Amino acid sequence: MQRWNAVSEIPDDLAPAAVTLGNFDGVHRGHRAVLTELVTRARAAERIAVAVTFDPHPLAVLRPDAAPQMVGTLDQRLELLDALGLDAVLVMEFTRDLAAWSPEEFVRRVFCEGLHADLVVVGQDTRFGARNSGDVQTLRELGRECGFDLVVVGDQGDRTDATEATRWSSSQVRRLVIDGDVALATHVLGRHHEVAGVVVHGDHRGRTLGYPTANLNQDPDGLIPADGVYAGWLVRCAAPENDPERRLPAAVSIGTNPTFDGQQRRVEAYVLDRTDLELYGERVALEFVERLRPTYKFAGIEELLEVMANDVRQSRQILGVPAPHDAG
């Protein structure tokens, strides 16, 4: 997948493109419906499929106090877009100057002159241009002027009763992850939410307790769920896809280790029934499947070990992983 960081980087001889527009934070199922429609139509028309996105988030520039926590980093977003079959992504730096472009100027400079678009695919809630004044009707009118067809994909979500539906959105995913409801976040995302980082040295307390953990660096990539213990998977990012050691079942802990009066919030994972792994310096991703419990301060080591053993049993059950003596 090609990446352009400005309209000026788009090749002058670019063939007509099929284009979509959005922030795509989290690349959830609603986004994927639009992106899949784009790729399908682009392939059928022998066009390249291009997504136009922004970095940073517009609110981070226009109203920093109201800017949302991002579900994932730009690199995570681009990796997910690539996996959906996009041929190219235009990442536009969002500035106050860009925010002042009228919808007409944006479409002319980006879609028409830059990408030579003859097909635009968007969700029905798409807004763009100064003060978000452009919408699908604006695109429809500009398409007639500029020569591109418009396809509008309806809202995607869960129907709650015969008349109402819950629309999938990035803000919904953020709320679920922050609340620790990673199972429902998985449903909206269509995949497990993940946090990624480099394994660093911690207090080495887990090893002495019989549960050695891989500690992620501070400020890892991805929105960190609520404090607690989760069943999940540890993915060794550099390992080949077919390596059986690439994706390993884990119990993941997030918090300050209050039993030991910890002060620093940490994300750490115990790979189930493994004490032989040396992961220091490796980049890993943690996929969150289900929250087991909140973080507690225990009265002592004995109580802590009893609860940790139960965490491991629950994680095995949720992940479908047999205990060592059941493996064969």
Side-chain angles (χ1 to χ4, degrees), residues 228-292:
V229 177
Y230 298 80
W233 298 91
L234 181 147
V235 181
R236 303 174 75 173
C237 299
E241 291 287 345
N242 60 352
D243 187 340
E245 293 283 281
R246 174 178 168 83
R247 193 166 183 263
L248 302 168
V252 183
S253 174
I254 299 174
T256 59
N257 290 322
T259 301
F260 300 98
D261 298 322
Q263 300 297 316
Q264 191 176 60
R265 192 179 190 220
R266 294 179 176 176
V267 180
E268 52 188 313
Y270 164 63
V271 175
L272 303 186
D273 309 308
R274 296 290 295 272
T275 59
D276 59 323
L277 294 171
E278 290 293 340
L279 301 175
Y280 297 116
E282 278 196 43
R283 181 172 176 82
V284 302
L286 301 179
E287 299 178 354
F288 293 86
V289 176
E290 187 173 322
R291 191 182 194 213
L292 305 179

Side-chain angles (χ1 to χ4, degrees), residues 157-174:
D158 295 306
R159 186 156 295 283
T160 55
D161 58 32
T163 59
E164 295 187 8
T166 300
R167 174 177 164 273
W168 294 322
S169 66
S170 299
S171 58
Q172 180 189 20
V173 174
R174 291 185 196 106

Side-chain angles (χ1 to χ4, degrees), residues 103-184:
E104 295 76 14
E105 181 180 11
F106 183 89
V107 168
R108 176 179 56 79
R109 293 176 65 169
V110 180
F111 288 2
C112 302
E113 296 176 0
L115 293 168
H116 309 149
D118 63 3
L119 174 66
V120 174
V121 180
V122 294
Q124 69 180 40
D125 65 329
T126 295
R127 304 301 295 257
F128 64 101
R131 299 178 300 281
N132 273 341
S133 55
D135 57 15
V136 293
Q137 183 57 35
T138 311
L139 283 173
R140 191 169 284 113
E141 294 167 359
L142 292 172
R144 286 193 288 266
E145 295 177 18
C146 299
F148 60 78
D149 294 326
L150 178 68
V151 174
V152 179
V153 178
D155 281 348
Q156 308 290 306
D158 295 306
R159 186 156 295 283
T160 55
D161 58 32
T163 59
E164 295 187 8
T166 300
R167 174 177 164 273
W168 294 322
S169 66
S170 299
S171 58
Q172 180 189 20
V173 174
R174 291 185 196 106
R175 183 174 63 254
L176 291 170
V177 172
I178 290 171
D179 289 347
D181 193 348
V182 295
L184 190 50

Side-chain angles (χ1 to χ4, degrees), residues 27-226:
V27 193
H28 55 68
R29 290 169 66 188
H31 294 145
R32 286 166 54 186
V34 174
L35 294 160
T36 300
E37 184 73 18
L38 172 73
V39 171
T40 299
R41 288 178 177 266
R43 296 290 178 269
E46 298 184 339
R47 299 288 187 257
I48 66 167
V50 182
V52 179
T53 192
F54 305 102
D55 187 62
H57 190 284
L59 282 178
V61 175
L62 300 176
R63 294 178 54 201
D65 57 324
Q69 298 183 64
M70 300 299 284
V71 175
T73 64
L74 176 60
D75 285 343
Q76 289 173 319
R77 192 188 331 168
L78 295 179
E79 183 177 342
L80 290 165
L81 293 175
D82 187 18
L84 288 172
L86 274 292
D87 298 300
V89 175
L90 170 60
V91 181
M92 301 188 70
E93 180 185 3
F94 196 88
T95 62
R96 288 190 173 274
D97 178 62
L98 178 59
W101 289 10
S102 68
E104 295 76 14
E105 181 180 11
F106 183 89
V107 168
R108 176 179 56 79
R109 293 176 65 169
V110 180
F111 288 2
C112 302
E113 296 176 0
L115 293 168
H116 309 149
D118 63 3
L119 174 66
V120 174
V121 180
V122 294
Q124 69 180 40
D125 65 329
T126 295
R127 304 301 295 257
F128 64 101
R131 299 178 300 281
N132 273 341
S133 55
D135 57 15
V136 293
Q137 183 57 35
T138 311
L139 283 173
R140 191 169 284 113
E141 294 167 359
L142 292 172
R144 286 193 288 266
E145 295 177 18
C146 299
F148 60 78
D149 294 326
L150 178 68
V151 174
V152 179
V153 178
D155 281 348
Q156 308 290 306
D158 295 306
R159 186 156 295 283
T160 55
D161 58 32
T163 59
E164 295 187 8
T166 300
R167 174 177 164 273
W168 294 322
S169 66
S170 299
S171 58
Q172 180 189 20
V173 174
R174 291 185 196 106
R175 183 174 63 254
L176 291 170
V177 172
I178 290 171
D179 289 347
D181 193 348
V182 295
L184 190 50
T186 293
H187 171 70
V188 179
L189 288 168
R191 57 181 174 80
H192 300 309
H193 175 66
E194 71 174 44
V195 172
V198 176
V199 178
V200 298
H201 287 276
D203 297 323
H204 301 280
R205 189 179 293 117
R207 187 170 297 277
T208 65
L209 297 175
Y211 296 96
T213 59
N215 290 261
L216 297 194
N217 58 284
Q218 290 294 300
D219 300 317
D221 296 338
L223 183 59
I224 299 175

